[in-house]
Amino acid sequence: MTYRRAVIPALVGSLLITLLLWWAGASAQALQLRGTSSVFDAQSASELRRWLAPWSYDPPAELLSDGAGSGGPAPSGGTQYADLYSTAMQIRFLAVFAFFLAGALLLLRRMPPAQGRTPATLLALWAWGPVAGTLAVTVSAPWLIASRGHGSYRFLPQLAGVIASSGPVVVFAALSTALLTVLVARVTAKGAEPLPRQSVPPRAARLAASAGTVVIALSLVVLSYQSVAAWIQTSSGGGGLLSEPGDLLREWLLLGGWTGPATSPLGDWLLYRTADVLLLAVVWWALRLLPGLLTRTTVPATVVGAICATVLGLLASQLLHMTMDDTVDVWGPVYLFSRLGEGVPAAVTCGVAAGLATFVTLRLAGGRKADDLPG
């Protein structure tokens, strides 16, 4: 699909996900109304506020006081903190529009929803939504931290907390966005020259998928093991503003967390490990199909495809965890989705590495012809 045909659905999708997230953030105030208690219990309402808070444009009440919650009334100081918060949200919504637009444009151009690619394009766009949200939250984080009035205190742990806060709402917004984007893309693709799926040697595709999956397994199996994760969090020292990078490293490197079966029955331990196996299986299968789905195997397309494959694996494992969750009766049905979308920052890091490994292995194995150079 040419850029001229891809830009319209990409713009529509970017605008829709931005509006959906803005609407979700604007709805956060409604959860504080008196009638909310008749619809949601207190725990569910609190959890929903946590989901929507990262996208709420209205500054928290504590920002209107001096020192961002120090308790002393000082309207001028409170106004400055509120202005910083507004700036952070403006950057956040502009960034989510720009990041989704860039990813959707690349995916629609290299994986147009035609000739059997429609399901793959839909899933890739759905997975790219949480990535765009995470990147937007990351870009706007310094302004948000500064608006709290203590940006110089444990800055990196604060940054990690903000990055991890995009919430399940982005996953739901991305699903609706992906559906509409694909529908518009199918309309704009009518009349274009057919782009049949290209043949890839099965052995080369399997080797490339295995190389990429090994990278994901390194994070999921090795780095996410409890003792290794603890070492990552505590090994780095330093001082000043950039001290205590452990939380930030875990956020961008670890796809999960696990320990040996000593703390739980072996059967339960094996049951929860099936979610990790499912994640790796989804990643391998997606990377196996990726070269044949792309109209041209380039480095950017392979890397973005690998990121989307990793996010899809995360979502699949989290959905499996939901079926094993027995705390719904205690915490309420909203908590069933509370983990949805976790681990996306690590999926970006590991997805980039897995995409590069997949591309290099595919080229070395002779999976595509020499005219498919990066570009």
Side-chain angles (χ1 to χ4, degrees):
M1 180 183 288
T2 63
Y3 279 116
R4 182 176 60 84
R5 293 179 181 272
V7 71
I8 296 176
L11 283 171
V12 170
S14 302
L15 183 61
L16 178 61
I17 193 170
T18 304
L19 290 176
L20 287 175
L21 292 175
W22 179 86
W23 173 77
S27 303
Q29 297 295 330
L31 293 172
Q32 300 178 4
L33 298 177
R34 184 175 303 176
T36 305
S37 58
S38 62
V39 180
F40 302 104
D41 58 80
Q43 292 176 334
S44 296
S46 176
E47 181 67 7
L48 285 173
R49 280 194 294 270
R50 184 184 72 82
W51 290 11
L52 301 177
W55 306 100
S56 177
Y57 205 88
D58 297 326
E62 59 266 21
L63 294 186
L64 301 178
S65 62
D66 186 34
S70 61
S76 60
T79 301
Q80 291 175 356
Y81 288 120
D83 289 344
L84 276 173
Y85 183 88
S86 298
T87 301
M89 298 312 297
Q90 291 169 7
I91 294 172
R92 182 165 297 185
F93 284 110
L94 286 174
V96 77
F97 178 90
F99 281 123
F100 189 86
L101 176 64
L105 194 59
L106 178 62
L107 288 170
L108 290 173
R109 177 163 165 76
R110 296 303 182 197
M111 196 189 300
Q115 284 80 41
R117 297 185 180 94
T118 301
T121 307
L122 176 63
L123 290 174
L125 289 170
W126 180 32
W128 185 252
V131 175
T134 295
L135 295 176
V137 168
T138 303
V139 168
S140 63
W143 286 267
L144 189 67
I145 294 172
S147 72
R148 297 171 179 171
H150 44 76
S152 61
Y153 173 71
R154 304 187 76 235
F155 175 77
L156 293 183
Q158 287 189 78
L159 183 60
V162 173
I163 291 171
S165 68
S166 59
V169 65
V170 186
V171 178
F172 296 119
L175 180 58
S176 302
T177 300
L179 289 169
L180 181 61
T181 304
V182 167
L183 288 176
V184 176
R186 287 186 64 87
V187 173
T188 60
K190 289 183 178 179
E193 295 181 3
L195 297 170
R197 296 177 61 168
Q198 300 190 27
S199 175
V200 181
R203 178 179 175 274
R206 288 194 295 267
L207 284 175
S210 300
T213 306
V214 166
V215 175
I216 304 301
L218 177 65
S219 171
L220 186 65
V221 178
V222 179
L223 300 183
S224 296
Y225 186 63
Q226 189 178 58
S227 58
V228 180
W231 176 82
I232 292 173
Q233 185 165 9
T234 58
S235 62
S236 299
L241 186 64
L242 300 181
S243 63
E244 302 182 80
D247 289 341
L248 191 62
L249 288 174
R250 290 187 57 158
E251 192 67 35
W252 288 98
L253 294 178
L254 274 60
L255 285 166
W258 66 284
T259 184
T263 57
S264 61
L266 180 60
D268 293 342
W269 183 85
L270 291 174
L271 184 63
Y272 276 90
R273 297 287 70 78
T274 57
D276 298 336
V277 174
L278 177 62
L279 192 159
L280 295 176
V282 170
V283 169
W284 187 90
W285 185 249
L287 293 179
R288 164 68 178 81
L289 298 177
L290 182 62
L293 292 170
L294 297 174
T295 58
R296 187 179 177 206
T297 307
T298 63
V299 172
T302 307
V303 167
V304 170
I307 293 173
C308 293
T310 309
V311 174
L312 286 174
L314 274 174
L315 293 175
S317 67
Q318 289 161 3
L319 290 172
L320 181 59
H321 273 296
M322 289 180 192
T323 64
M324 299 183 288
D325 193 347
D326 57 356
T327 63
V328 177
D329 294 335
V330 178
W331 297 102
V334 175
Y335 278 83
L336 188 64
F337 302 96
S338 61
R339 294 191 58 189
L340 203 60
E342 288 184 357
V344 174
V348 175
T349 305
C350 300
V352 170
L356 292 174
T358 300
F359 180 84
V360 171
T361 305
L362 190 66
R363 291 298 303 275
L364 292 177
R368 299 299 287 264
K369 298 194 179 289
D371 59 348
D372 290 329
L373 294 173

